[in-house]
Amino acid sequence: NAGVTQTPKFQVLKTGQSMTLQCAQDMNHNSMYWYRQDPGMGLRLIYYSASEGTTDKGEVPNGYNVSRLNKREFSLRLESAAPSQTSVYFCASRSGTSGFNEQFFGPGTRLTVL
Amino acid sequence: ELKVEQNPLFLSMQEGKNYTIYCNYSTTSDRLYWYRQDPGKSLESLFVLLSNGAVKQEGRLMASLDTKARLSTLHITAAVHDLSATYFCAVDQDPSGGGADGLTFGKGTHLIIQP
């Protein structure tokens, strides 16, 4: 099991460029998430998908769009990158059912917007 | 607005000492999560606390949950250098905890353990 995988690991963009961050999980989880981590801020939820076919905004959705392509894959798109979007982006997944229901995180994507 | 507050945010301690990290939260959730993050790495799940009074231990780390006080603690016993990391607590944005909503994280406690 690879768990949660993310591509790319690193990316440098110029202001105004677009890109898509990819995320996939092989744990048959229902729910998937995108967070951003900024120094001293902890992690903040951008968007999430409770189940295949649904997406919802989190705390900081402005400037982002998402697609739940299928049960395994959840992508995050920056249409017109801004320097304020320089951050580390983490994808996560969880079963979404009762029990421990903890979130498992991918390795992260370090994005710099110049 | 759901708030999760950790303290201290920065802690430098010597090997062999004991210390406690505190996590206060504002929701009525009865579950809480602790994660560890090493520099430049992802988050690793440490503990999932599922109910009031829950206590879990793994090696030199012990976590507890008091839902009435809305407080969780992460206690470090006889610290060793390998425990140096940033520790986060988090709660479900859906207080029922059994759903699919995201987590709200504290800002993290940056722990340095010196020989």
Side-chain angles (χ1 to χ4, degrees):
Chain A
N1 276 354
V4 181
T5 57
Q6 293 182 234
T7 56
K9 287 187 168 53
F10 301 93
Q11 185 71 48
V12 178
L13 293 177
K14 294 181 179 178
T15 297
Q17 288 185 317
S18 62
M19 78 162 295
T20 299
L21 282 65
Q22 306 286 354
C23 174
Q25 52 91 11
D26 62 1
M27 295 175 281
N28 200 36
H29 284 167
N30 293 313
S31 306
M32 298 185 73
Y33 309 84
W34 279 104
Y35 293 90
R36 61 177 288 173
Q37 183 177 29
D38 301 295
M41 296 291 293
L43 278 78
R44 292 180 293 170
L45 183 66
I46 305 172
Y47 270 94
Y48 69 100
S49 171
S51 60
E52 187 178 354
T54 68
T55 61
D56 285 286
K57 295 179 180 180
E59 304 164 63
V60 289
N62 291 346
Y64 305 96
N65 285 302
V66 291
S67 296
R68 183 76 183 265
L69 304 170
N70 48 56
K71 190 172 185 178
R72 291 187 61 248
E73 298 173 288
F74 189 38
S75 63
L76 178 71
R77 182 160 179 83
L78 286 71
E79 290 291 352
S80 179
S84 60
Q85 294 178 304
T86 293
S87 188
V88 181
Y89 291 85
F90 288 101
C91 177
S93 71
R94 68 180 182 184
S95 64
T97 60
S98 59
F100 286 117
N101 203 19
E102 68 208 279
Q103 292 191 11
F104 295 88
F105 286 80
T109 295
R110 292 186 175 273
L111 175 67
T112 301
V113 183
L114 302 175
Chain B
E1 179 189 349
L2 172 55
K3 292 184 178 179
V4 180
E5 295 182 348
Q6 286 182 238
N7 69 83
L9 297 182
F10 182 82
L11 177 58
S12 179
M13 56 191 294
Q14 288 185 318
E15 280 191 327
K17 300 292 187 182
N18 304 331
Y19 210 83
T20 301
I21 299 169
Y22 298 89
C23 175
N24 289 93
Y25 58 96
S26 62
T27 182
T28 57
S29 179
D30 61 357
R31 65 171 58 203
L32 187 136
Y33 309 85
W34 283 97
Y35 286 88
R36 168 180 173 150
Q37 185 179 38
D38 292 308
K41 302 293 185 181
S42 184
L43 280 76
E44 172 191 358
S45 177
L46 288 176
F47 301 109
V48 181
L49 302 169
L50 293 178
S51 61
N52 186 42
V55 176
K56 288 200 171 180
Q57 183 163 4
E58 179 73 32
R60 302 175 187 273
L61 298 177
M62 183 174 70
S64 65
L65 179 62
D66 180 345
T67 58
K68 293 180 182 176
R70 301 184 185 177
L71 170 68
S72 181
T73 61
L74 180 65
H75 186 73
I76 303 153
T77 301
V80 293
H81 178 69
D82 286 352
L83 292 178
S84 296
T86 300
Y87 294 86
F88 292 94
C89 63
V91 297
D92 289 290
Q93 294 180 359
D94 172 7
S96 71
D101 286 12
L103 299 178
T104 295
F105 284 80
K107 292 185 177 181
T109 297
H110 184 49
L111 175 62
I112 296 176
I113 299 170
Q114 300 178 356

